[in-house]
Amino acid sequence: MAYVADTIFALATAPGKAGVAVVRVSGSRAADTGRALFGRLPEPRLAALKLLKDRDGRRLDQALVLYFPEKNSFTGEEVLELHLHGSTAVVNAVLRELSEMDGLRLAEAGEFTRRALENGCLDLAQVEGLADLIDAETEAQRRQALRVLSGDLGNLAGKWRTDLIRAAALIEATIDFADEDVPVDVTPEVTGLLAGVRAELDREIAGVDTAERIRTGFEVAILGAPNVGKSTLLNALAGREAAITSEYAGTTRDVIEVRMELNGLPVTLLDTAGLRETDDHVESIGIERARQRAEAADLRVFLVDGDTLPDFAPLENDVVRVAKADTLSDAKNAISGKTGFGVGELIAEITDKLSDQAGRSGVATRERHRIAMKRASESLNAARAVLELGPDHYDVGAEELRTAIRALDSIVGHVDVENLLDEIFSSFCIGK
């Protein structure tokens, strides 16, 4: 276990007036801090009502307190939690008293979680899952983050690592006994292990992009000619006046974004400039931006006037609707943002298509994971090719397997991640 000399403290709940505010203390002086504030510590992990006093014996608050011994806490250190009345004055008084105690200091952003990582209570993937869980706004984001925080990705990487260590051990044994008769040919077992791990790696790699979209949000672009009703449809989908509408073509010059949730998925709707040829410099910039965002979007909704499609071809999974259904005698496959006709059906179709995409996500959720898995997969391909050359090249194959194992170790933070830690923990609040 890695020990950290300083004992840290911070408000672990949101600042401001609340029913309860939690102050957390972590480090070797946590128990002494509790004794100084209220006397005898409660039984480990059992809440007790205590009267908190400052060093002069003046009352600070009556609070529920919890004590977690070393190796039995979130950080792996001694931890004291003070569940205070959530007034700003009470919290400030307690924090001020803690700041005046010897050996205590205010925690930095993410420092509690960083200590959990350093003390082996969490791996790096779980730390990322915790960050995502704190930031989760939708049900899909919550479920995905909880899977990573629960250790699913670390467990999967551990399984791959075990298989590769077994394969490497078999190859090393063959090298060690190269001058002797080895009764068993290990090649079939080794190639089987490599093929199994590589298949699972490739499947996870393919799902990273979708998993990242669940984290950051899917984008749905509304496209069509000027004045076809894109902004009106956006307002109908958003349920508010998010975009300016008028009878004049070219009103929308920039991409307008509206964030919403569909079936637990985070979705950003994009209202884009009308696609047409124009001599207006500002409008042409908006049209170019519309094309760029549309190309990068996960799904496009095309509004067409009659049978005329814009000069941006829909892809197979895109949605096409005839605009301004309220003006048509035949409203088949039509929609009207003005009256709401067909809006419910459009939302259902968008939801189904995005849910289908989300179903293809894996456990890995970040570009960092994809890069590490890609490196491992490439090393396995190289190892397989070397093994086919025969026992004289097995030492090279063994080194390729060690490279793959190191890549997998980087997923959970065992190697090659020191430069990432400051960036990761800077996104945490101070009390976490």
Side-chain angles (χ1 to χ4, degrees):
M1 176 177 290
Y3 293 95
V4 182
D6 294 338
T7 296
I8 57 175
F9 69 90
L11 177 65
T13 48
K17 186 186 296 185
V20 176
V22 178
V23 171
R24 176 183 287 167
V25 182
S26 179
S28 60
R29 297 186 61 83
D32 292 339
T33 300
R35 295 186 187 100
L37 286 173
F38 51 78
R40 183 180 177 182
L41 291 174
E43 292 296 318
R45 310 181 82 165
L46 291 178
L49 185 64
K50 297 286 186 177
L51 182 63
L52 276 57
K53 297 181 180 180
D54 65 14
R55 63 183 60 194
D56 296 323
R58 292 173 298 198
R59 296 182 180 183
L60 292 169
D61 191 25
Q62 191 173 41
L64 279 176
V65 301
L66 284 160
Y67 172 69
F68 301 87
E70 181 184 325
K71 300 182 181 180
N72 289 280
S73 70
F74 173 71
T75 63
E77 304 171 331
E78 291 183 14
V79 169
L80 178 71
E81 286 189 359
L82 309 173
H83 295 239
L84 312 169
H85 291 95
S87 80
T88 302
V90 169
V91 171
N92 288 342
V94 172
L95 292 178
R96 184 166 54 250
E97 182 66 19
L98 292 175
S99 69
E100 293 175 356
M101 291 185 178
D102 293 336
L104 269 66
R105 65 170 174 81
L106 186 65
E108 298 175 358
E111 191 168 3
F112 289 96
T113 306
R114 185 160 189 163
R115 291 190 176 195
L117 173 67
E118 292 171 344
N119 290 329
C121 300
L122 297 175
D123 63 40
L124 186 59
Q126 289 177 295
V127 168
E128 292 168 327
L130 178 57
D132 291 341
L133 186 62
I134 292 170
D135 291 337
E137 296 177 345
T138 71
E139 178 62 15
Q141 290 173 330
R142 182 194 66 81
R143 290 196 303 266
Q144 177 172 277
L146 199 56
R147 289 177 65 191
V148 181
L149 175 59
S150 299
D152 287 8
L153 179 56
N155 292 338
L156 190 56
K159 172 183 174 296
W160 295 333
R161 188 179 191 276
T162 299
D163 288 347
L164 296 186
I165 289 175
R166 167 67 178 170
L170 291 171
I171 294 175
E172 295 284 0
T174 302
I175 296 171
D176 291 341
F177 293 96
D179 296 331
E180 303 177 23
D181 292 331
V182 180
V184 179
D185 181 8
V186 301
T187 305
E189 183 177 355
V190 170
T191 55
L193 288 168
L194 300 191
V197 173
R198 189 179 61 184
E200 293 184 11
L201 279 170
D202 292 345
R203 184 163 57 249
E204 281 297 319
I205 290 169
V208 170
D209 285 345
T210 301
E212 279 202 302
R213 282 307 202 189
I214 293 175
R215 284 181 54 241
T216 61
F218 292 89
E219 289 193 347
V220 177
I222 303 174
L223 299 172
N227 209 27
V228 78
K230 299 184 298 301
S231 296
T232 302
L233 177 59
L234 177 77
N235 291 339
L237 293 170
R240 60 185 177 86
E241 295 296 317
I244 298 173
T245 61
S246 79
E247 69 273 19
Y248 300 107
T251 298
T252 301
R253 298 297 184 96
D254 204 350
V255 177
I256 297 173
E257 301 183 4
V258 172
R259 194 163 176 92
M260 61 190 303
E261 180 178 342
L262 296 177
N263 194 32
L265 297 173
V267 179
T268 299
L269 298 174
L270 309 177
D271 177 23
T272 62
L275 302 180
R276 67 171 178 175
E277 296 295 329
T278 179
D279 295 328
D280 187 313
H281 177 65
V282 175
E283 185 181 358
S284 66
I285 293 174
I287 292 172
E288 180 58 29
R289 288 182 179 177
R291 290 182 179 277
Q292 292 173 356
R293 293 298 295 273
E295 290 173 354
D298 302 283
L299 184 67
R300 285 150 291 275
V301 175
F302 287 84
L303 286 184
V304 299
D305 188 4
D307 296 327
T308 303
L309 287 173
D311 58 352
F312 188 102
L315 301 177
E316 181 180 356
N317 199 45
D318 289 339
V319 179
V320 179
R321 288 290 190 274
V322 178
K324 301 179 181 178
D326 53 296
T327 66
L328 304 175
S329 57
D330 181 7
K332 181 180 179 181
N333 200 40
I335 193 168
S336 172
K338 183 177 180 179
T339 65
F341 179 85
V343 170
E345 290 80 359
L346 175 62
I347 291 176
E349 185 172 357
I350 292 173
T351 301
D352 287 344
K353 289 179 179 292
L354 294 182
S355 296
D356 182 63
Q357 290 187 40
R360 296 193 290 271
S361 68
V363 180
T365 59
R366 294 174 180 254
E367 179 65 9
R368 182 182 74 81
H369 304 158
R370 189 194 69 79
I371 292 172
M373 292 188 297
K374 185 70 173 175
R375 290 204 328 260
S377 180
E378 290 171 350
S379 294
L380 295 186
N381 288 337
R384 176 67 182 271
V386 168
L387 292 177
E388 292 176 352
L389 298 177
D392 290 343
H393 298 83
Y394 278 8
D395 55 338
V396 179
E399 181 57 34
E400 290 290 353
L401 290 184
R402 286 191 286 270
T403 300
I405 291 169
R406 286 194 294 270
L408 296 178
D409 283 344
S410 72
I411 294 176
V412 293
H414 292 164
V415 295
D416 298 336
V417 294
E418 190 62 34
N419 60 327
L420 289 172
L421 296 183
D422 289 340
E423 178 181 350
I424 289 171
F425 289 112
S426 67
S427 66
F428 280 76
C429 59
I430 289 177
K432 199 65 180 177

